[in-house]
Amino acid sequence: MPFYVYVIRLRNAVLDERRFARENPNHVAHKPCVYVGSPALAPERRYQKHISKSTSRSSCAKAASQGRDDPRNTSA
């Protein structure tokens, strides 16, 4: 079975959320906020699940940034 690792860069607004601060007490200021996942699904399919309406209540879906962090975007 294939194994994948992916990183989604989060919007800086996530820094203002209490939950983020509580769950990431060692966050270093001025470093990007990222979510790292390791699913069995291909990164493109997992990314779609993160941003889909069915999972829109998840913190990652709300905080995910678009653009060059999108795995479908190869121009970086």
Side-chain angles (χ1 to χ4, degrees):
M1 178 188 284
F3 179 81
Y4 302 95
V5 174
Y6 66 98
V7 178
I8 297 175
R9 186 173 185 155
L10 305 177
R11 293 184 182 112
N12 289 335
V14 75
L15 295 170
D16 298 329
E17 295 182 19
R18 286 184 183 170
R19 181 177 175 189
F20 178 85
R22 184 178 66 246
E23 294 180 5
N24 299 280
N26 298 321
H27 173 71
V28 178
H30 308 296
K31 288 201 174 183
C33 300
V34 297
Y35 175 85
V36 179
S38 56
L41 294 174
E44 295 82 8
R45 288 190 63 202
R46 187 63 184 120
Y47 181 79
Q48 286 305 314
K49 282 192 164 209
H50 272 299
I51 63 171
S52 73
K53 291 181 181 174
S54 64
T55 60
S56 64
R57 286 176 263 168
S58 76
S59 296
C60 191
K62 292 176 184 174
S65 61
Q66 299 285 327
R68 70 184 200 97
D69 300 305
D70 184 329
R72 297 165 295 174
N73 187 344
T74 58
S75 62

